[in-house]
Amino acid sequence: MENNICPITVIKPDIRLRPYVRYYYILNTHEDIEVLTFPLGCPQIIFHKNSPLFIPELSSFQDRFTISGQVNFPAHVASRGVTEMIVVVFHPHTIGPFIQTLPSAFYNREIAGYDLENSDINEFAARIFDTEDNNICVRIIEKWLLHKLVSARPDIYSERMGMAIRALMNDPSEKINALASKCCLGPKQFSRVFNAHVGMMPKEYARIVRFQKVLWMLQNDCRDYTEIAFSCGYSDQSHFIREFREFSTLTPTSIPRPYSNLFSIPS
């Protein structure tokens, strides 16, 4: 989970990793954090070098080495004291080969990377925590990801799921049968494969994409709610406002600084 309120340093990935990693970011602040975050639509690997984030909706702190899965709820994250985070933000369907675990295993969860019981991943995390310079940490992350890319190639369905994600981002109201057809799969097989790769069933993920597209339109100063509802695939304005509140606890008129992390790359 992530939002655009906290000051962050964004780093672009190596060109070889861009089909898999959207970006890295570093957050380092001595101020207390209290931020409302929204479902992002992308899994993340998070390293906490100081105070971890508390997620009241899950009644728990993130682990110092956390894998954050797909979620369908807003969260009021908080941290006290020094917060120093390094985060890898993946494309919606690409984290699995790197951690050798199906993303569906951490749906609506924040799990400790150590719980994967993978010695390679644990050694990688140890190198991050033993390195003081966070920019060097990002280079270590890049080297590890590139190594994993060689030894753990994505399966035959990864490219098809990327196609489905792009279709949903273009039109969140796209029907499951149409998406399945584009991916040359039957509807049931498509839903099963999509859930395994993305960590959420396609209909539910489409709702996240739709919400993020609303944020993107608001971010770009569109205030015509009829146009927003139509463009994002809602049946009417009432449906749009109800679902917006579900994912944000807010109304479209009350959100202070709308920003879509799925449709934008933070700068």
mmCIF file of all heavy atoms in Angstrom, residues 5 10 23 36 39 41 58 79 81 89 108 117 140 148 170 179 183 201-203 214 228 240-241 245 253 259:
data_model
loop_
_atom_site.group_PDB
_atom_site.id
_atom_site.type_symbol
_atom_site.label_atom_id
_atom_site.label_comp_id
_atom_site.label_asym_id
_atom_site.label_seq_id
_atom_site.Cartn_x
_atom_site.Cartn_y
_atom_site.Cartn_z
ATOM 1 N N ILE A 5 1.583 11.167 -0.531
ATOM 2 C CA ILE A 5 1.661 12.283 0.405
ATOM 3 C C ILE A 5 3.057 12.370 1.024
ATOM 4 O O ILE A 5 3.633 13.446 1.145
ATOM 5 C CB ILE A 5 0.579 12.144 1.495
ATOM 6 C CG1 ILE A 5 -0.813 12.252 0.840
ATOM 7 C CG2 ILE A 5 0.740 13.213 2.549
ATOM 8 C CD1 ILE A 5 -1.948 12.012 1.799
ATOM 9 N N VAL A 10 12.149 8.558 -5.901
ATOM 10 C CA VAL A 10 11.775 7.506 -6.847
ATOM 11 C C VAL A 10 12.965 7.201 -7.751
ATOM 12 O O VAL A 10 13.643 8.106 -8.241
ATOM 13 C CB VAL A 10 10.554 7.939 -7.687
ATOM 14 C CG1 VAL A 10 10.223 6.886 -8.739
ATOM 15 C CG2 VAL A 10 9.358 8.190 -6.781
ATOM 16 N N TYR A 23 8.962 0.710 -10.367
ATOM 17 C CA TYR A 23 9.924 1.659 -9.823
ATOM 18 C C TYR A 23 10.297 1.233 -8.407
ATOM 19 O O TYR A 23 9.658 0.358 -7.801
ATOM 20 C CB TYR A 23 9.376 3.094 -9.807
ATOM 21 C CG TYR A 23 8.045 3.266 -9.091
ATOM 22 C CD1 TYR A 23 7.974 3.602 -7.735
ATOM 23 C CD2 TYR A 23 6.848 3.116 -9.783
ATOM 24 C CE1 TYR A 23 6.766 3.764 -7.096
ATOM 25 C CE2 TYR A 23 5.634 3.279 -9.147
ATOM 26 C CZ TYR A 23 5.594 3.596 -7.802
ATOM 27 O OH TYR A 23 4.373 3.747 -7.163
ATOM 28 N N LEU A 36 -3.602 8.000 5.060
ATOM 29 C CA LEU A 36 -4.642 7.132 4.519
ATOM 30 C C LEU A 36 -4.172 6.638 3.151
ATOM 31 O O LEU A 36 -3.893 7.434 2.253
ATOM 32 C CB LEU A 36 -5.952 7.906 4.376
ATOM 33 C CG LEU A 36 -7.107 7.177 3.671
ATOM 34 C CD1 LEU A 36 -7.523 5.924 4.448
ATOM 35 C CD2 LEU A 36 -8.298 8.118 3.478
ATOM 36 N N PRO A 39 -6.043 1.066 -2.117
ATOM 37 C CA PRO A 39 -5.581 -0.093 -2.891
ATOM 38 C C PRO A 39 -4.838 0.363 -4.148
ATOM 39 O O PRO A 39 -5.369 1.137 -4.947
ATOM 40 C CB PRO A 39 -6.878 -0.821 -3.253
ATOM 41 C CG PRO A 39 -7.859 -0.399 -2.207
ATOM 42 C CD PRO A 39 -7.506 1.009 -1.870
ATOM 43 N N GLY A 41 -3.041 -1.830 -6.449
ATOM 44 C CA GLY A 41 -3.113 -2.724 -7.596
ATOM 45 C C GLY A 41 -1.793 -3.353 -7.969
ATOM 46 O O GLY A 41 -1.703 -4.076 -8.955
ATOM 47 N N LEU A 58 -5.324 -4.246 9.790
ATOM 48 C CA LEU A 58 -4.837 -5.608 9.966
ATOM 49 C C LEU A 58 -4.395 -5.881 11.403
ATOM 50 O O LEU A 58 -3.961 -6.992 11.718
ATOM 51 C CB LEU A 58 -3.660 -5.871 9.017
ATOM 52 C CG LEU A 58 -3.962 -5.776 7.516
ATOM 53 C CD1 LEU A 58 -2.680 -5.949 6.707
ATOM 54 C CD2 LEU A 58 -4.991 -6.810 7.100
ATOM 55 N N SER A 79 3.332 5.567 11.620
ATOM 56 C CA SER A 79 4.657 5.246 12.118
ATOM 57 C C SER A 79 5.095 6.348 13.073
ATOM 58 O O SER A 79 4.788 7.519 12.863
ATOM 59 C CB SER A 79 5.654 5.127 10.962
ATOM 60 O OG SER A 79 6.960 4.882 11.453
ATOM 61 N N GLY A 81 8.438 8.031 15.091
ATOM 62 C CA GLY A 81 9.894 8.073 15.106
ATOM 63 C C GLY A 81 10.460 8.108 13.700
ATOM 64 O O GLY A 81 9.843 8.620 12.774
ATOM 65 N N VAL A 89 8.273 -1.701 -6.197
ATOM 66 C CA VAL A 89 6.894 -1.765 -6.680
ATOM 67 C C VAL A 89 6.884 -2.535 -8.002
ATOM 68 O O VAL A 89 7.462 -2.083 -8.992
ATOM 69 C CB VAL A 89 6.294 -0.357 -6.877
ATOM 70 C CG1 VAL A 89 4.836 -0.454 -7.348
ATOM 71 C CG2 VAL A 89 6.377 0.446 -5.582
ATOM 72 N N ASN A 108 -4.756 -9.649 0.465
ATOM 73 C CA ASN A 108 -5.183 -8.889 1.653
ATOM 74 C C ASN A 108 -4.297 -9.164 2.865
ATOM 75 O O ASN A 108 -4.771 -9.152 4.008
ATOM 76 C CB ASN A 108 -6.643 -9.179 1.994
ATOM 77 C CG ASN A 108 -7.602 -8.275 1.238
ATOM 78 O OD1 ASN A 108 -7.193 -7.310 0.595
ATOM 79 N ND2 ASN A 108 -8.889 -8.575 1.322
ATOM 80 N N GLU A 117 10.565 -18.853 4.014
ATOM 81 C CA GLU A 117 11.549 -19.898 4.322
ATOM 82 C C GLU A 117 12.408 -20.217 3.102
ATOM 83 O O GLU A 117 12.644 -21.375 2.746
ATOM 84 C CB GLU A 117 10.852 -21.156 4.852
ATOM 85 C CG GLU A 117 10.096 -20.908 6.154
ATOM 86 C CD GLU A 117 9.443 -22.148 6.709
ATOM 87 O OE1 GLU A 117 9.423 -23.177 5.997
ATOM 88 O OE2 GLU A 117 8.957 -22.106 7.854
ATOM 89 N N ILE A 140 21.902 -3.235 -4.967
ATOM 90 C CA ILE A 140 21.907 -4.638 -4.524
ATOM 91 C C ILE A 140 20.597 -5.317 -4.923
ATOM 92 O O ILE A 140 20.586 -6.461 -5.402
ATOM 93 C CB ILE A 140 22.120 -4.727 -2.995
ATOM 94 C CG1 ILE A 140 23.523 -4.253 -2.626
ATOM 95 C CG2 ILE A 140 21.884 -6.151 -2.489
ATOM 96 C CD1 ILE A 140 23.752 -4.111 -1.134
ATOM 97 N N LYS A 148 17.737 -13.298 -10.377
ATOM 98 C CA LYS A 148 16.520 -14.118 -10.309
ATOM 99 C C LYS A 148 15.842 -14.198 -11.666
ATOM 100 O O LYS A 148 15.232 -15.217 -12.011
ATOM 101 C CB LYS A 148 15.554 -13.561 -9.277
ATOM 102 C CG LYS A 148 16.063 -13.554 -7.853
ATOM 103 C CD LYS A 148 16.339 -14.966 -7.349
ATOM 104 C CE LYS A 148 15.081 -15.772 -7.162
ATOM 105 N NZ LYS A 148 15.360 -17.108 -6.561
ATOM 106 N N ASN A 170 -7.077 -0.012 -19.969
ATOM 107 C CA ASN A 170 -7.689 0.731 -21.073
ATOM 108 C C ASN A 170 -9.197 0.825 -20.903
ATOM 109 O O ASN A 170 -9.811 1.862 -21.188
ATOM 110 C CB ASN A 170 -7.362 0.045 -22.401
ATOM 111 C CG ASN A 170 -7.924 0.792 -23.594
ATOM 112 O OD1 ASN A 170 -7.603 1.959 -23.829
ATOM 113 N ND2 ASN A 170 -8.774 0.125 -24.363
ATOM 114 N N LEU A 179 -11.778 -10.803 -21.920
ATOM 115 C CA LEU A 179 -10.382 -10.876 -21.498
ATOM 116 C C LEU A 179 -9.825 -12.276 -21.699
ATOM 117 O O LEU A 179 -8.698 -12.450 -22.178
ATOM 118 C CB LEU A 179 -10.262 -10.481 -20.022
ATOM 119 C CG LEU A 179 -10.489 -9.014 -19.668
ATOM 120 C CD1 LEU A 179 -10.557 -8.844 -18.156
ATOM 121 C CD2 LEU A 179 -9.387 -8.134 -20.242
ATOM 122 N N CYS A 183 -6.733 -13.677 -24.185
ATOM 123 C CA CYS A 183 -5.602 -14.446 -23.660
ATOM 124 C C CYS A 183 -5.606 -15.892 -24.144
ATOM 125 O O CYS A 183 -4.765 -16.693 -23.699
ATOM 126 C CB CYS A 183 -5.630 -14.418 -22.130
ATOM 127 S SG CYS A 183 -5.369 -12.778 -21.423
ATOM 128 N N MET A 201 -8.889 -12.058 -7.914
ATOM 129 C CA MET A 201 -9.711 -12.475 -9.034
ATOM 130 C C MET A 201 -9.940 -11.309 -9.998
ATOM 131 O O MET A 201 -9.964 -10.146 -9.574
ATOM 132 C CB MET A 201 -11.042 -13.026 -8.534
ATOM 133 C CG MET A 201 -10.892 -14.309 -7.713
ATOM 134 S SD MET A 201 -10.173 -15.686 -8.662
ATOM 135 C CE MET A 201 -11.575 -16.159 -9.658
ATOM 136 N N PRO A 202 -10.099 -11.595 -11.293
ATOM 137 C CA PRO A 202 -10.165 -10.506 -12.276
ATOM 138 C C PRO A 202 -11.296 -9.501 -12.057
ATOM 139 O O PRO A 202 -11.092 -8.301 -12.257
ATOM 140 C CB PRO A 202 -10.302 -11.238 -13.619
ATOM 141 C CG PRO A 202 -10.624 -12.645 -13.298
ATOM 142 C CD PRO A 202 -10.089 -12.920 -11.938
ATOM 143 N N LYS A 203 -12.484 -9.951 -11.661
ATOM 144 C CA LYS A 203 -13.581 -8.998 -11.447
ATOM 145 C C LYS A 203 -13.246 -8.024 -10.319
ATOM 146 O O LYS A 203 -13.520 -6.834 -10.411
ATOM 147 C CB LYS A 203 -14.883 -9.737 -11.141
ATOM 148 C CG LYS A 203 -15.536 -10.377 -12.354
ATOM 149 C CD LYS A 203 -16.891 -10.963 -11.999
ATOM 150 C CE LYS A 203 -17.571 -11.558 -13.222
ATOM 151 N NZ LYS A 203 -18.887 -12.162 -12.883
ATOM 152 N N VAL A 214 -10.360 6.521 -11.715
ATOM 153 C CA VAL A 214 -11.076 7.693 -11.189
ATOM 154 C C VAL A 214 -10.077 8.665 -10.570
ATOM 155 O O VAL A 214 -10.127 9.877 -10.821
ATOM 156 C CB VAL A 214 -12.129 7.276 -10.149
ATOM 157 C CG1 VAL A 214 -12.686 8.506 -9.429
ATOM 158 C CG2 VAL A 214 -13.262 6.506 -10.806
ATOM 159 N N ILE A 228 -16.806 10.852 -15.601
ATOM 160 C CA ILE A 228 -15.952 9.913 -14.873
ATOM 161 C C ILE A 228 -16.634 8.553 -14.771
ATOM 162 O O ILE A 228 -16.026 7.511 -15.042
ATOM 163 C CB ILE A 228 -15.602 10.460 -13.481
ATOM 164 C CG1 ILE A 228 -14.659 11.663 -13.603
ATOM 165 C CG2 ILE A 228 -14.955 9.370 -12.619
ATOM 166 C CD1 ILE A 228 -14.355 12.343 -12.285
ATOM 167 N N PHE A 240 -20.663 4.856 -8.797
ATOM 168 C CA PHE A 240 -19.324 5.436 -8.765
ATOM 169 C C PHE A 240 -18.990 5.961 -7.369
ATOM 170 O O PHE A 240 -17.943 5.628 -6.789
ATOM 171 C CB PHE A 240 -19.241 6.536 -9.829
ATOM 172 C CG PHE A 240 -18.245 7.636 -9.568
ATOM 173 C CD1 PHE A 240 -16.941 7.368 -9.207
ATOM 174 C CD2 PHE A 240 -18.628 8.964 -9.715
ATOM 175 C CE1 PHE A 240 -16.026 8.388 -8.987
ATOM 176 C CE2 PHE A 240 -17.726 9.990 -9.494
ATOM 177 C CZ PHE A 240 -16.423 9.702 -9.122
ATOM 178 N N ILE A 241 -19.859 6.757 -6.786
ATOM 179 C CA ILE A 241 -19.581 7.365 -5.476
ATOM 180 C C ILE A 241 -19.550 6.305 -4.382
ATOM 181 O O ILE A 241 -18.696 6.342 -3.488
ATOM 182 C CB ILE A 241 -20.622 8.460 -5.179
ATOM 183 C CG1 ILE A 241 -20.437 9.622 -6.165
ATOM 184 C CG2 ILE A 241 -20.486 8.950 -3.739
ATOM 185 C CD1 ILE A 241 -21.524 10.667 -6.109
ATOM 186 N N ARG A 245 -16.153 5.479 -2.179
ATOM 187 C CA ARG A 245 -16.121 5.538 -0.706
ATOM 188 C C ARG A 245 -15.634 4.212 -0.118
ATOM 189 O O ARG A 245 -14.910 4.183 0.883
ATOM 190 C CB ARG A 245 -17.515 5.877 -0.173
ATOM 191 C CG ARG A 245 -17.533 6.157 1.325
ATOM 192 C CD ARG A 245 -18.960 6.298 1.828
ATOM 193 N NE ARG A 245 -19.602 7.485 1.306
ATOM 194 C CZ ARG A 245 -19.509 8.694 1.874
ATOM 195 N NH1 ARG A 245 -18.800 8.841 2.984
ATOM 196 N NH2 ARG A 245 -20.137 9.720 1.356
ATOM 197 N N THR A 253 -15.464 14.463 -3.802
ATOM 198 C CA THR A 253 -15.315 15.898 -3.547
ATOM 199 C C THR A 253 -14.466 16.184 -2.322
ATOM 200 O O THR A 253 -13.986 17.311 -2.150
ATOM 201 C CB THR A 253 -16.690 16.560 -3.360
ATOM 202 O OG1 THR A 253 -17.381 15.908 -2.294
ATOM 203 C CG2 THR A 253 -17.513 16.464 -4.630
ATOM 204 N N TYR A 259 -4.578 11.255 -6.485
ATOM 205 C CA TYR A 259 -3.398 10.824 -7.235
ATOM 206 C C TYR A 259 -3.504 9.326 -7.472
ATOM 207 O O TYR A 259 -3.754 8.551 -6.539
ATOM 208 C CB TYR A 259 -2.122 11.139 -6.458
ATOM 209 C CG TYR A 259 -0.861 10.840 -7.240
ATOM 210 C CD1 TYR A 259 -0.299 11.787 -8.093
ATOM 211 C CD2 TYR A 259 -0.256 9.583 -7.160
ATOM 212 C CE1 TYR A 259 0.842 11.502 -8.835
ATOM 213 C CE2 TYR A 259 0.880 9.295 -7.887
ATOM 214 C CZ TYR A 259 1.416 10.264 -8.724
ATOM 215 O OH TYR A 259 2.549 9.971 -9.457
#
